[in-house]
């Protein structure tokens, strides 16, 4: 069973900024199939064309390195890295379209 434990520590950083902490305990399962994405996390159609506004990351996506997939930690590392990449791409797409954003620290 995968568990995520999160904490917020007010004033923990220099200048009194808040520190956000997440502890992830991975489960003993993984999936190496799923949606095909570009390098920015945008989902690709069966013809390899980006689908506007659709992004995916982590276990919902297919993996280009199946031989390494069973190595301990690789699925979790992929989830963290692809999630960050897709998140940046989504934020960039929103800004490009003139959408407003909100700082989650507020």
């Amino acid at each position: 069973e995968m568990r995520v434990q999160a904490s917020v520590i007010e004033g923990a950083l220099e200048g009194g900024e808040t520190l956000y902490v997440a502890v992830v305990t991975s489960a003993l399962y993984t999936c190496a199939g799923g949606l095909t994405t570009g390098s920015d996390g945008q989902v690709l159609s069966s013809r390899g064309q980006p689908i506007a506004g659709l992004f995916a990351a982590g276990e919902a996506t297919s993996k280009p390195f199946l031989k390494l997939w069973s190595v301990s930690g690789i699925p979790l590392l992929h989830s963290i890295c692809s999630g960050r990449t897709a998140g940046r791409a989504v934020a960039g797409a929103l800004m490009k379209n003139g959408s407003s954003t909100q700082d989650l620290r507020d």
Side-chain angles (χ1 to χ4, degrees):
E1 174 183 332
M2 183 174 212
R3 288 182 234 131
V4 178
Q5 185 177 14
S7 299
V8 177
I9 307 169
E10 299 288 339
L13 299 176
E14 187 176 319
E17 293 186 33
T18 302
L19 175 64
Y20 297 89
V21 180
V23 177
V24 179
T25 304
S26 62
L28 296 176
Y29 65 88
T30 185
C31 173
L35 301 169
T36 301
T37 60
S39 61
D40 64 351
Q42 190 165 14
V43 176
L44 304 177
S45 71
S46 60
R47 294 184 178 152
Q49 299 300 313
I51 299 173
L54 185 59
F55 293 83
E59 294 289 315
T61 62
S62 62
K63 316 308 179 284
F65 36 79
L66 293 176
K67 290 183 179 181
L68 286 177
W69 202 247
S70 62
V71 175
S72 178
I74 295 292
L76 181 58
L77 178 61
H78 172 72
S79 295
I80 292 168
C81 184
S82 64
R84 184 174 181 163
T85 300
R88 284 183 174 171
V90 168
L94 288 172
M95 296 297 288
K96 184 177 179 181
N97 291 332
S99 298
S100 62
T101 60
Q102 177 183 349
D103 189 331
L104 296 178
R105 295 176 289 183
D106 294 338

